[in-house]
Coordinates of all heavy atoms in Angstrom, one line a residue:
N882 N 40.4 9.9 16.2 CA 41.5 10.0 17.1 C 41.1 10.5 18.5 O 41.9 11.1 19.2 CB 42.6 10.9 16.5 CG 42.1 12.3 16.2 OD1 41.0 12.6 16.5 ND2 43.0 13.1 15.7
I883 N 39.9 10.3 18.9 CA 39.4 10.8 20.2 C 40.1 10.2 21.4 O 40.2 10.8 22.5 CB 37.9 10.6 20.3 CG1 37.3 11.6 21.4 CG2 37.5 9.2 20.6 CD1 35.8 11.7 21.4
G884 N 40.7 9.0 21.2 CA 41.3 8.3 22.4 C 42.8 8.5 22.4 O 43.4 9.2 21.6
L885 N 43.4 7.9 23.4 CA 44.9 8.0 23.6 C 45.6 7.1 22.5 O 46.8 7.3 22.2 CB 45.3 7.4 25.0 CG 45.0 8.4 26.2 CD1 44.9 7.6 27.4 CD2 46.1 9.4 26.2
F886 N 44.8 6.2 21.9 CA 45.4 5.3 20.9 C 44.2 4.9 20.0 O 43.1 5.1 20.3 CB 46.1 4.1 21.5 CG 45.2 3.3 22.5 CD1 44.3 2.4 22.2 CD2 45.4 3.6 23.9 CE1 43.5 1.8 23.1 CE2 44.6 3.0 24.8 CZ 43.6 2.0 24.4
D887 N 44.6 4.2 18.9 CA 43.6 3.7 18.0 C 42.9 2.6 18.7 O 43.5 1.5 18.9 CB 44.3 3.2 16.7 CG 43.3 2.7 15.7 OD1 42.2 2.3 16.0 OD2 43.7 2.6 14.5
R888 N 41.6 2.8 19.0 CA 40.9 1.8 19.8 C 40.5 0.5 19.1 O 40.0 -0.4 19.7 CB 39.7 2.5 20.4 CG 40.0 3.7 21.3 CD 38.8 4.2 22.0 NE 37.8 4.7 21.1 CZ 36.6 5.0 21.5 NH1 36.2 4.9 22.8 NH2 35.7 5.5 20.6
S889 N 40.7 0.5 17.8 CA 40.4 -0.7 17.0 C 41.7 -1.6 16.9 O 41.6 -2.8 16.9 CB 39.9 -0.4 15.6 OG 38.6 0.1 15.7
R890 N 42.9 -0.9 16.8 CA 44.1 -1.7 16.4 C 45.2 -1.6 17.4 O 46.1 -2.5 17.3 CB 44.6 -1.2 15.0 CG 43.5 -1.4 13.9 CD 43.9 -0.7 12.6 NE 42.9 -0.9 11.6 CZ 41.8 -0.2 11.4 NH1 41.5 0.8 12.3 NH2 41.0 -0.5 10.5
D891 N 45.2 -0.6 18.3 CA 46.3 -0.5 19.2 C 46.1 -0.8 20.6 O 46.8 -0.3 21.5 CB 46.8 1.0 19.1 CG 47.4 1.3 17.7 OD1 47.8 0.4 17.0 OD2 47.5 2.5 17.4
V892 N 45.0 -1.5 20.9 CA 44.8 -2.0 22.3 C 46.0 -2.9 22.7 O 46.3 -3.8 22.0 CB 43.5 -2.7 22.4 CG1 43.3 -3.3 23.8 CG2 42.3 -1.8 22.0
P893 N 46.6 -2.6 23.8 CA 47.8 -3.4 24.2 C 47.5 -4.9 24.2 O 46.4 -5.3 24.6 CB 48.1 -2.9 25.6 CG 47.5 -1.5 25.7 CD 46.3 -1.6 24.8
A894 N 48.5 -5.7 23.8 CA 48.4 -7.1 23.8 C 48.0 -7.6 25.2 O 48.6 -7.2 26.2 CB 49.7 -7.8 23.3
G895 N 47.1 -8.6 25.3 CA 46.7 -9.1 26.6 C 45.7 -8.3 27.3 O 45.3 -8.6 28.5
W896 N 45.2 -7.3 26.7 CA 44.2 -6.4 27.3 C 42.9 -6.3 26.4 O 43.0 -6.5 25.2 CB 44.7 -5.0 27.5 CG 45.9 -4.9 28.5 CD1 47.1 -5.3 28.3 CD2 45.8 -4.4 29.8 NE1 47.9 -5.1 29.4 CE2 47.1 -4.5 30.3 CE3 44.8 -3.8 30.6 CZ2 47.4 -4.1 31.6 CZ3 45.1 -3.4 31.9 CH2 46.4 -3.5 32.4
R897 N 41.8 -5.9 26.9 CA 40.7 -5.6 26.1 C 40.1 -4.3 26.7 O 40.3 -3.9 27.8 CB 39.6 -6.7 26.2 CG 38.8 -6.8 27.5 CD 37.7 -7.8 27.4 NE 36.9 -7.9 28.6 CZ 37.2 -8.7 29.6 NH1 38.3 -9.5 29.5 NH2 36.5 -8.8 30.7
L898 N 39.4 -3.5 25.8 CA 38.9 -2.2 26.2 C 37.4 -2.3 26.3 O 36.7 -2.6 25.4 CB 39.3 -1.2 25.1 CG 39.0 0.3 25.4 CD1 39.8 0.8 26.5 CD2 39.2 1.1 24.1
E899 N 37.0 -2.0 27.5 CA 35.5 -1.9 27.8 C 35.2 -0.4 27.6 O 35.6 0.4 28.4 CB 35.1 -2.5 29.1 CG 35.4 -4.0 29.2 CD 35.0 -4.6 30.5 OE1 34.8 -3.8 31.5 OE2 35.0 -5.8 30.6
Q900 N 34.4 -0.1 26.6 CA 34.2 1.3 26.2 C 32.9 1.9 26.7 O 31.8 1.3 26.6 CB 34.2 1.4 24.7 CG 35.6 1.0 24.0 CD 35.6 1.1 22.5 OE1 36.2 0.3 21.9 NE2 34.9 2.1 22.0
S901 N 33.1 3.1 27.3 CA 31.9 3.8 27.7 C 31.0 4.1 26.5 O 29.8 4.0 26.6 CB 32.4 5.1 28.4 OG 31.3 5.9 28.7
D902 N 31.6 4.6 25.4 CA 30.8 5.0 24.3 C 30.2 3.8 23.6 O 29.0 3.8 23.3 CB 31.6 5.8 23.3 CG 32.8 5.2 22.8 OD1 33.4 4.3 23.4 OD2 33.3 5.6 21.7
S903 N 30.9 2.7 23.4 CA 30.4 1.5 22.8 C 29.2 1.0 23.6 O 28.1 0.6 23.0 CB 31.4 0.4 22.6 OG 30.9 -0.7 21.9
T904 N 29.4 0.9 24.9 CA 28.3 0.4 25.7 C 27.1 1.3 25.7 O 25.9 0.9 25.6 CB 28.8 0.2 27.2 OG1 30.0 -0.7 27.1 CG2 27.8 -0.5 28.0
A905 N 27.3 2.6 25.8 CA 26.2 3.6 25.7 C 25.5 3.5 24.4 O 24.3 3.6 24.3 CB 26.8 5.0 25.9
W906 N 26.3 3.3 23.3 CA 25.7 3.2 22.0 C 24.7 2.0 21.9 O 23.6 2.1 21.4 CB 26.7 3.0 20.9 CG 27.4 4.3 20.4 CD1 28.8 4.5 20.4 CD2 26.9 5.5 19.9 NE1 29.1 5.7 20.0 CE2 27.9 6.4 19.6 CE3 25.6 5.9 19.6 CZ2 27.7 7.6 19.1 CZ3 25.4 7.2 19.1 CH2 26.4 8.0 18.8
M907 N 25.1 0.9 22.6 CA 24.2 -0.3 22.5 C 23.0 -0.1 23.4 O 21.9 -0.6 23.1 CB 25.0 -1.5 23.0 CG 25.9 -2.1 21.9 SD 24.9 -2.6 20.4 CE 23.9 -3.9 21.0
A908 N 23.1 0.6 24.5 CA 21.9 1.0 25.3 C 21.0 1.9 24.4 O 19.8 1.7 24.4 CB 22.3 1.7 26.6
F909 N 21.6 2.8 23.8 CA 20.8 3.7 22.9 C 20.2 3.0 21.7 O 19.0 3.2 21.4 CB 21.9 4.8 22.3 CG 21.3 5.7 21.3 CD1 20.4 6.7 21.6 CD2 21.8 5.6 20.0 CE1 20.0 7.6 20.6 CE2 21.4 6.5 19.0 CZ 20.5 7.5 19.3
Y910 N 20.9 2.0 21.2 CA 20.4 1.2 20.1 C 19.2 0.3 20.6 O 18.2 0.2 19.9 CB 21.6 0.3 19.6 CG 21.4 -0.5 18.3 CD1 20.3 -0.3 17.5 CD2 22.4 -1.3 17.8 CE1 20.1 -0.9 16.3 CE2 22.3 -2.0 16.6 CZ 21.1 -1.8 15.9 OH 21.0 -2.5 14.7
S911 N 19.4 -0.2 21.8 CA 18.3 -1.0 22.3 C 17.0 -0.2 22.5 O 15.9 -0.7 22.2 CB 18.7 -1.6 23.7 OG 19.9 -2.4 23.6
L912 N 17.1 1.0 23.0 CA 15.9 1.8 23.2 C 15.3 2.2 21.8 O 14.1 2.3 21.7 CB 16.3 3.1 24.0 CG 16.5 2.8 25.5 CD1 16.8 4.1 26.2 CD2 15.3 2.2 26.2
S913 N 16.2 2.5 20.8 CA 15.7 2.9 19.5 C 14.9 1.7 18.9 O 13.9 1.9 18.3 CB 16.8 3.3 18.6 OG 17.5 4.4 19.1
M914 N 15.5 0.5 19.0 CA 14.8 -0.7 18.5 C 13.5 -1.0 19.3 O 12.4 -1.3 18.7 CB 15.7 -1.9 18.6 CG 16.9 -1.8 17.8 SD 16.6 -2.1 16.0 CE 16.6 -3.9 15.9
M915 N 13.5 -0.7 20.6 CA 12.3 -0.9 21.4 C 11.2 0.1 21.0 O 10.0 -0.3 20.9 CB 12.6 -0.7 22.9 CG 11.4 -1.0 23.8 SD 11.6 -0.3 25.5 CE 11.2 1.5 25.0
R916 N 11.6 1.3 20.7 CA 10.6 2.3 20.3 C 10.0 1.9 19.0 O 8.7 2.0 18.8 CB 11.3 3.7 20.1 CG 10.7 4.7 19.3 CD 9.3 5.0 19.7 NE 9.2 5.6 21.0 CZ 8.0 5.7 21.7 NH1 6.9 5.2 21.2 NH2 8.0 6.2 22.9
I917 N 10.7 1.4 18.0 CA 10.2 1.0 16.7 C 9.2 -0.2 16.9 O 8.1 -0.3 16.4 CB 11.3 0.6 15.7 CG1 12.1 1.9 15.3 CG2 10.7 0.0 14.5 CD1 13.3 1.6 14.5
A918 N 9.7 -1.2 17.7 CA 8.9 -2.4 18.0 C 7.6 -2.0 18.7 O 6.5 -2.6 18.4 CB 9.7 -3.4 18.8
L919 N 7.7 -1.1 19.6 CA 6.5 -0.6 20.3 C 5.5 0.0 19.4 O 4.3 -0.2 19.5 CB 6.9 0.4 21.4 CG 5.8 0.9 22.4 CD1 5.2 -0.3 23.1 CD2 6.4 1.9 23.3
E920 N 6.0 0.8 18.5 CA 5.1 1.5 17.5 C 4.4 0.4 16.6 O 3.2 0.5 16.4 CB 5.9 2.4 16.6 CG 5.1 3.1 15.5 CD 4.0 4.1 16.0 OE1 3.9 4.3 17.2 OE2 3.3 4.6 15.1
L921 N 5.1 -0.6 16.2 CA 4.6 -1.7 15.4 C 3.6 -2.6 16.1 O 2.7 -3.1 15.6 CB 5.7 -2.5 14.7 CG 6.5 -1.7 13.7 CD1 7.7 -2.6 13.2 CD2 5.7 -1.2 12.5
A922 N 3.9 -2.7 17.4 CA 3.0 -3.6 18.3 C 1.6 -3.0 18.4 O 0.7 -3.7 18.8 CB 3.6 -3.8 19.6
R923 N 1.5 -1.7 18.2 CA 0.1 -1.1 18.2 C -0.8 -1.7 17.1 O -2.0 -1.6 17.2 CB 0.2 0.4 18.1 CG 1.0 1.1 19.3 CD 1.4 2.4 18.9 NE 0.3 3.3 18.5 CZ 0.5 4.5 18.0 NH1 1.7 4.9 17.7 NH2 -0.5 5.3 17.7
H924 N -0.1 -2.2 16.1 CA -0.9 -2.7 14.9 C -0.7 -4.2 14.8 O -1.5 -4.8 14.1 CB -0.4 -2.0 13.7 CG -0.2 -0.5 13.8 ND1 -1.3 0.3 13.8 CD2 0.9 0.3 14.1 CE1 -0.9 1.6 14.0 NE2 0.4 1.5 14.2
D925 N 0.3 -4.8 15.4 CA 0.5 -6.2 15.3 C 1.0 -6.7 16.6 O 2.2 -6.4 17.0 CB 1.5 -6.5 14.1 CG 1.6 -8.0 13.9 OD1 1.3 -8.8 14.7 OD2 2.1 -8.3 12.8
D926 N 0.3 -7.5 17.3 CA 0.7 -8.0 18.6 C 2.0 -8.8 18.6 O 2.7 -8.9 19.7 CB -0.4 -8.9 19.3 CG -1.7 -8.1 19.6 OD1 -1.6 -6.9 19.8 OD2 -2.8 -8.7 19.6
A927 N 2.3 -9.3 17.5 CA 3.5 -10.2 17.4 C 4.8 -9.4 17.8 O 5.8 -10.0 18.2 CB 3.7 -10.8 16.0
Y928 N 4.8 -8.1 17.6 CA 5.9 -7.3 17.9 C 6.1 -7.0 19.4 O 7.1 -6.5 19.8 CB 5.9 -5.9 17.1 CG 6.2 -6.1 15.7 CD1 5.2 -6.2 14.7 CD2 7.5 -6.2 15.2 CE1 5.4 -6.4 13.4 CE2 7.8 -6.4 13.9 CZ 6.8 -6.5 13.0 OH 7.0 -6.7 11.6
G929 N 5.1 -7.4 20.2 CA 5.2 -7.2 21.6 C 6.4 -7.9 22.2 O 7.0 -7.4 23.2
D930 N 6.7 -9.1 21.7 CA 7.8 -9.8 22.2 C 9.1 -9.1 22.1 O 10.0 -9.1 22.9 CB 8.0 -11.2 21.6 CG 6.8 -12.1 22.0 OD1 6.1 -11.8 22.9 OD2 6.7 -13.2 21.3
L931 N 9.3 -8.4 20.9 CA 10.5 -7.6 20.7 C 10.5 -6.4 21.7 O 11.6 -6.0 22.1 CB 10.5 -7.1 19.3 CG 10.9 -8.1 18.2 CD1 10.9 -7.5 16.8 CD2 12.3 -8.7 18.5
V932 N 9.4 -5.8 22.0 CA 9.4 -4.7 23.0 C 10.0 -5.2 24.3 O 10.9 -4.5 24.8 CB 8.0 -4.2 23.2 CG1 8.0 -3.1 24.3 CG2 7.4 -3.6 21.9
T933 N 9.6 -6.3 24.8 CA 10.1 -6.7 26.1 C 11.6 -7.2 26.0 O 12.4 -7.1 26.9 CB 9.2 -7.9 26.7 OG1 9.1 -8.9 25.7 CG2 7.9 -7.3 27.0
T934 N 11.9 -7.8 24.8 CA 13.3 -8.2 24.6 C 14.2 -7.0 24.6 O 15.2 -7.0 25.4 CB 13.4 -8.9 23.2 OG1 12.7 -10.1 23.2 CG2 14.9 -9.2 22.9
F935 N 13.9 -6.0 23.9 CA 14.8 -4.8 23.9 C 14.8 -4.0 25.2 O 15.8 -3.4 25.6 CB 14.5 -3.9 22.7 CG 15.0 -4.5 21.4 CD1 14.1 -4.8 20.4 CD2 16.3 -4.7 21.2 CE1 14.5 -5.4 19.2 CE2 16.7 -5.3 20.0 CZ 15.8 -5.6 19.0
L936 N 13.6 -4.1 25.9 CA 13.6 -3.4 27.2 C 14.5 -4.1 28.2 O 15.3 -3.5 28.9 CB 12.1 -3.5 27.7 CG 11.9 -3.1 29.2 CD1 12.2 -1.6 29.3 CD2 10.5 -3.4 29.6
E937 N 14.5 -5.5 28.1 CA 15.4 -6.2 29.1 C 16.8 -6.1 28.7 O 17.7 -6.0 29.5 CB 14.9 -7.7 29.1 CG 15.5 -8.4 30.3 CD 14.8 -9.7 30.7 OE1 13.5 -9.7 30.5 OE2 15.4 -10.6 31.2
R938 N 17.1 -6.0 27.4 CA 18.5 -5.8 26.9 C 19.0 -4.5 27.4 O 20.1 -4.4 27.9 CB 18.6 -5.9 25.4 CG 18.4 -7.3 24.8 CD 19.4 -8.3 25.2 NE 20.8 -7.8 25.1 CZ 21.6 -7.8 26.1 NH1 21.3 -8.3 27.3 NH2 22.8 -7.3 25.9
F939 N 18.2 -3.5 27.3 CA 18.6 -2.1 27.8 C 18.8 -2.2 29.3 O 19.9 -1.6 29.8 CB 17.5 -1.1 27.5 CG 17.7 0.2 28.2 CD1 18.7 1.1 27.9 CD2 16.9 0.5 29.3 CE1 18.9 2.2 28.6 CE2 17.0 1.7 30.0 CZ 18.0 2.5 29.7
C940 N 18.0 -2.8 30.0 CA 18.1 -2.9 31.5 C 19.4 -3.6 31.9 O 20.1 -3.2 32.8 CB 16.9 -3.5 32.1 SG 15.4 -2.5 32.0
G941 N 19.7 -4.6 31.2 CA 21.0 -5.4 31.4 C 22.2 -4.5 31.2 O 23.2 -4.6 32.0
I942 N 22.2 -3.8 30.1 CA 23.3 -2.9 29.8 C 23.4 -1.8 30.9 O 24.5 -1.5 31.4 CB 23.2 -2.3 28.4 CG1 23.3 -3.4 27.3 CG2 24.3 -1.2 28.2 CD1 22.9 -2.9 26.0
A943 N 22.3 -1.2 31.3 CA 22.3 -0.2 32.3 C 22.8 -0.7 33.6 O 23.6 0.0 34.3 CB 20.9 0.4 32.5
D944 N 22.5 -1.9 33.9 CA 23.0 -2.5 35.2 C 24.5 -2.7 35.1 O 25.2 -2.3 36.1 CB 22.3 -3.8 35.4 CG 22.7 -4.5 36.7 OD1 22.7 -3.8 37.8 OD2 23.2 -5.6 36.6
A945 N 25.0 -3.2 34.0 CA 26.4 -3.4 33.9 C 27.2 -2.1 33.9 O 28.3 -2.0 34.5 CB 26.7 -4.2 32.6

Side-chain angles (χ1 to χ4, degrees):
N882 59 1
I883 199 168
L885 286 159
F886 50 84
D887 182 340
R888 298 187 298 168
S889 288
R890 298 170 179 84
D891 292 340
V892 177
W896 296 73
R897 72 174 181 275
L898 185 67
E899 294 180 348
Q900 292 179 221
S901 172
D902 56 337
S903 181
T904 305
W906 282 123
M907 278 304 290
F909 173 71
Y910 195 3
S911 299
L912 288 180
S913 299
M914 295 287 276
M915 188 200 74
R916 160 57 61 194
I917 294 173
L919 185 60
E920 176 70 2
L921 293 175
R923 295 162 60 192
H924 313 282
D925 186 341
D926 292 337
Y928 286 96
D930 291 346
L931 286 178
V932 174
T933 54
T934 293
F935 288 116
L936 173 64
E937 194 158 331
R938 290 297 313 126
F939 165 74
C940 291
I942 295 170
D944 179 54

